Amino acid sequence: MSKDIRLGIIMNGVTGRMGMNQHLIRSICAIRKDGGVVLKNGRRVMPDPILVGRNLDKVARLAKAHGIERYTDDLDAALKNKDDTLFFDAATTQARAGLLKKAMAAGKDIYCEKPTAETLAVAMDLVKAAKKYGVKNGVVQDKLFLPGLEKMKVLIDSGFFGKILSVRGEFGYWVFEGDWQVAQRPSWNYRSKDGGGIILDMLCHWRYVLDNLFGGVKSVSCLGATHIPKRWDENGKPYKADSDDAAYATFELEGGVIAQINSSWVTRVRRDDLVTFHVDGTLGSAVAGLHKCFVQPRVATPKPVWNPDLPQSINFFDTWQEVPENRVYPNGFRAQWEMYIRHLVDNEPFKWTLLEGAKGVQLAEAGLKSWKERRWIDLPELKI
């Protein structure tokens, strides 16, 4: 058997929460620990990362903690190394487009977090740049690989729903203001000048979820809000929170499906999970969270009667059946990393490109425009 294939990866932005936990520790480090990514011919691809960060001490400690030999605070020098062929970015949205273009100009393939840019024009410029430089490219679409949504996809493919009528999504939780309780999210999320806002953040996710599961998004009506205008940063200093911390959106999908998704960092959770998708169809309904999925077929649907004078006699939660765990679900970020690595080395299909990332930015931009102009916004097909 031929020896393993080395894949040199320049990993930028992995000192942040998402980049460190999901991409470095639970994806790349886990893949390395398990002996690499197995190809069809039995050979293995072993990721060899170099960690890049502005704070050399911080990135050095991170590398040492996880057995990574290479690290630097000099991105330009890292990009000059021809033995490292993939550039990954999970840093700030504002800096992403410039870093990706620099990496592509250096001949690097691209894999990155979303949003790919703050505006559709810049996101499409990245698509054109990838074509110009002839590099492979991919964008993280992690929620498609959640066990709950994977189970939902099986239900859709099996015809369980009949005709899908509607989708209702609830996402969010209470993010503490930072005064008496430390906030769970970084303060830049709540400052417009730093690229904050839940519409830009979450509508990029909802685009690929809706497109891939329920039907392409045709139009959107969105209302944003800044419910909490004052927060406290990581140093305990108060600041003006002027970006949207909640979004209430309705989407028209292909096939006549109507989707409604509330996204909020100012809601207290009383539902099955931090995100749930409730799908109603002519033959059945389902509710999926991050991991679990529950179904109610047409023949097992209870028959409630409206009577405000008597307490409700039906325990509606008891009328749903859980979809069983028929297989092991890997970490969703890792699953997509492995797919992308096989795409790089074996040319296996990979549909979640920079163009798909641009679709997410298109929806976010349309959502912001809808809020500003208080009207529905249609989404035309994106063409290079």
Side-chain angles (χ1 to χ4, degrees), residues 22-280:
Q22 297 296 350
H23 291 289
L24 178 61
I25 298 174
R26 294 169 192 162
S27 295
I28 295 303
C29 289
I31 289 171
R32 285 164 57 85
K33 182 180 179 181
D34 290 342
V37 176
V38 182
L39 304 178
K40 288 182 178 179
N41 62 7
R43 296 185 70 185
R44 291 174 177 266
V45 180
M46 180 60 72
D48 180 13
I50 176 170
L51 307 188
V52 182
R54 291 175 296 179
N55 185 322
L56 186 61
D57 179 64
K58 189 174 183 179
V59 79
R61 284 187 280 109
L62 180 64
K64 182 178 180 180
H66 298 286
I68 305 297
E69 296 180 356
R70 302 188 300 147
Y71 58 88
T72 183
D73 60 354
D74 190 342
L75 176 59
D76 290 335
L79 289 173
K80 290 178 182 177
N81 186 353
K82 297 186 182 300
D83 293 330
D84 293 328
T85 58
L86 175 61
F87 175 76
F88 169 74
D89 181 65
T92 64
T93 302
Q94 286 187 322
R96 181 161 297 131
L99 293 175
L100 293 181
K101 289 192 74 172
K102 180 185 287 189
M104 287 189 277
K108 308 302 181 185
D109 296 316
I110 297 298
Y111 189 53
C112 68
E113 265 292 351
K114 75 229 138 288
T116 55
E118 289 186 284
T119 68
L120 177 58
V122 175
M124 289 302 294
D125 186 52
L126 290 175
V127 176
K128 295 171 185 175
K131 184 177 181 180
K132 172 185 175 182
Y133 292 112
V135 298
K136 291 183 176 179
N137 53 94
V139 178
V140 178
Q141 314 269 257
D142 54 283
K143 287 178 174 51
L144 290 176
F145 301 92
L146 290 170
L149 288 187
E150 293 236 41
K151 295 169 186 175
M152 183 75 79
K153 182 67 163 56
V154 171
L155 296 174
I156 294 170
D157 293 343
S158 72
F160 168 81
F161 294 103
K163 176 179 171 53
I164 293 179
L165 306 174
S166 63
V167 181
R168 295 194 304 282
E170 289 285 346
F171 164 83
Y173 46 94
W174 189 270
V175 177
F176 285 94
E177 296 90 330
D179 49 353
W180 67 278
Q181 185 81 273
V182 176
Q184 309 96 298
R185 298 186 65 88
S187 59
W188 70 262
N189 282 172
Y190 303 94
R191 293 190 293 262
S192 295
K193 67 182 180 67
D194 294 329
I198 201 167
I199 292 177
L200 179 61
D201 188 354
M202 295 312 303
L203 263 63
C204 292
H205 285 285
W206 306 150
R207 180 67 189 268
Y208 67 75
V209 169
L210 294 173
D211 278 359
N212 285 275
L213 291 179
F214 308 112
V217 181
K218 295 170 56 180
S219 59
V220 59
S221 172
C222 182
L223 176 65
T226 303
H227 289 303
I228 297 181
K230 181 180 179 180
R231 291 179 178 270
W232 284 257
D233 65 17
E234 291 78 4
N235 298 314
K237 295 182 179 180
Y239 67 94
K240 181 181 179 181
D242 60 355
S243 63
D244 42 289
D245 54 19
Y248 310 92
T250 303
F251 310 90
E252 183 184 10
L253 311 185
E254 294 174 351
V257 178
I258 304 300
Q260 300 167 284
I261 303 180
N262 294 326
S263 309
S264 178
W265 288 323
V266 287
T267 183
R268 296 178 176 90
V269 180
R270 193 179 190 275
R271 53 183 184 271
D272 291 331
D273 216 326
L274 297 185
V275 63
T276 57
F277 292 92
H278 182 126
V279 181
D280 286 316

Side-chain angles (χ1 to χ4, degrees), residues 9 64 259 292:
I9 308 175
K64 182 178 180 180
K292 296 184 177 183

